[in-house]
C-alpha cells in the first residue's frame, strides 16, 4: 500500500498555508490514513525487532533517536566522512528513521510507527553536489551506489535484521565516483535482495517521486515491497511514481 497519511481524524484535514492571512484547512477523505492507533492497540513494537535504515545516515544522538540505534556502519566511507545525517543531504535518513521508530508517546517531536523497535544506521548513500547547468549553483542530492546497497543489504541479512528500508534508487558510479545513471538489471544488488529474502527479511523500498511508470530499483525487484505515496483523499499523490 502506498505511504499514507498519519494518525487519523474523523476527516483528514491537513493544514495548508495561504499566501496571506492565517493557515486554512483542506478537508480530505475520512480514514485516509494508516490506522496506526488501531495497530498500536495490538502492539507498539519491541526492541528485539531490528529495522535497518539504508539511507544517508541517522542522527542517532538526537532526542528522538537516542538509544534507538543498535549499530552504525558506513558503506560509503570513500565518499562521506560522516555516519550521521545532518552534514549530508538535508536529514533524509534521520527523517526516514523517525517515521519507522523514534521514541513515541513522550510529548516530543513526531511519532514512530514502531515505538519500541530498534534501528540500524546502515549508511548507504552520500551527499553529492550536482551542477544542473553550467554557471548555476550546485544542488545537493543523495547518491546511493549499487555496490554499497549490495553490501548493506547483505550485512542486514547476516546480522539479524527483520525489516530493511531502502528509500532510494540505486546509482551506478564511474571510476571517479560520479553517478552515471541507473545500474543494469539484474545485478549484485538483486542477488543480495534475494538472499535477504531467503533469510526472512522484509524488504521495503521507495517507488520514486517522478510521477512516471518507469520502474525504480531496488523497489522494482520481485522480493521487495514497493511503496508510493497517497494524498489526503487516499489517491495516488501527484508526484508518486507507479507501474
Amino acid at each position: 500500500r502506498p505511504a499514507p497519511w498519519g494518525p487519523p481524524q474523523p476527516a483528514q484535514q491537513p493544514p495548508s498555508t495561504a499566501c496571506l492571512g492565517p493557515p486554512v484547512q483542506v478537508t480530505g477523505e475520512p480514514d485516509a490514513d494508516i490506522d496506526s492507533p488501531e495497530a498500536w492497540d495490538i502492539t507498539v513494537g519491541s526492541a528485539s525487532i531490528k529495522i535497518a535504515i539504508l539511507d544517508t545516515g541517522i542522527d542517532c544522538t538526537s532526542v528522538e533517536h537516542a538509544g534507538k540505534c543498535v549499530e552504525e556502519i558506513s558503506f560509503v566511507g570513500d565518499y562521506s566522512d560522516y555516519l550521521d545525517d545532518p552534514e549530508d543531504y538535508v536529514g533524509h535518513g534521520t527523517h526516514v528513521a523517525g517515521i519507522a521508530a523514534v521514541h513515541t508517546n513522550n510529548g516530543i517531536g513526531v511519532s514512530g510507527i514502531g515505538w519500541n523497535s530498534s534501528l540500524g544506521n546502515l549508511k548507504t548513500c552520500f551527499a553529492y553536489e550536482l551542477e544542473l547547468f553550467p554557471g548555476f549553483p550546485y544542488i545537493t542530492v543523495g547518491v546511493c551506489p549499487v555496490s554499497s546497497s549490495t553490501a548493506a543489504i547483505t550485512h542486514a541479512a547476516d546480522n539479524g535484521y527483520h525489516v530493511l528500508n531502502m528509500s532510494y534508487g540505486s546509482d551506478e558510479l564511474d571510476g571517479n565516483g560520479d553517478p552515471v545513471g541507473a545500474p543494469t538489471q539484474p545485478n549484485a544488488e538483486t542477488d543480495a535482495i534475494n538472499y535477504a529474502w531467503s533469510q526472512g527479511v522484509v524488504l521495503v523500498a521507495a517507488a520514486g517521486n517522478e510521477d512516471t511508470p518507469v520502474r525504480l530499483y531496488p523497489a522494482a525487484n520481485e522480493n521487495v515491497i514497493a511503496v508510493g505515496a497517497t494524498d489526503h483523499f487516499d489517491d495516488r499523490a501527484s508526484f508518486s511514481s507507479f507501474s
Side-chain angles (χ1 to χ4, degrees), residues 92-111:
H92 189 271
T94 300
H95 174 79
V96 169
I99 296 171
V102 291
H103 295 294
T104 300
N105 203 30
N106 58 0
I108 301 173
V110 299
S111 298

Side-chain angles (χ1 to χ4, degrees), residues 109-221:
V110 299
S111 298
I113 300 304
W115 294 17
N116 300 324
S117 301
S118 299
L119 296 168
N121 179 13
L122 306 188
K123 187 177 175 71
T124 308
C125 309
F126 64 95
Y128 180 84
E129 289 188 339
L130 177 66
E131 185 181 27
L132 293 178
F133 303 101
F136 280 75
Y138 290 91
I139 63 170
T140 302
V141 298
V143 171
C144 311
V146 65
S147 58
S148 302
S149 178
T150 299
I153 293 167
T154 303
H155 175 86
D158 286 339
N159 287 274
Y161 284 91
H162 302 87
V163 179
L164 197 159
N165 189 85
M166 304 170 285
S167 292
Y168 57 83
S170 299
D171 298 290
E172 192 70 57
L173 305 187
D174 63 18
N176 297 320
D178 296 314
V180 293
T184 57
Q185 300 295 331
N187 52 42
E189 181 184 66
T190 311
D191 294 337
I193 286 169
N194 293 339
Y195 171 65
W197 177 260
S198 75
Q199 299 300 109
V201 180
V202 175
L203 300 102
V204 183
N209 297 327
E210 287 73 41
D211 184 28
T212 71
V214 177
R215 292 191 170 193
L216 183 72
Y217 289 85
N221 281 286

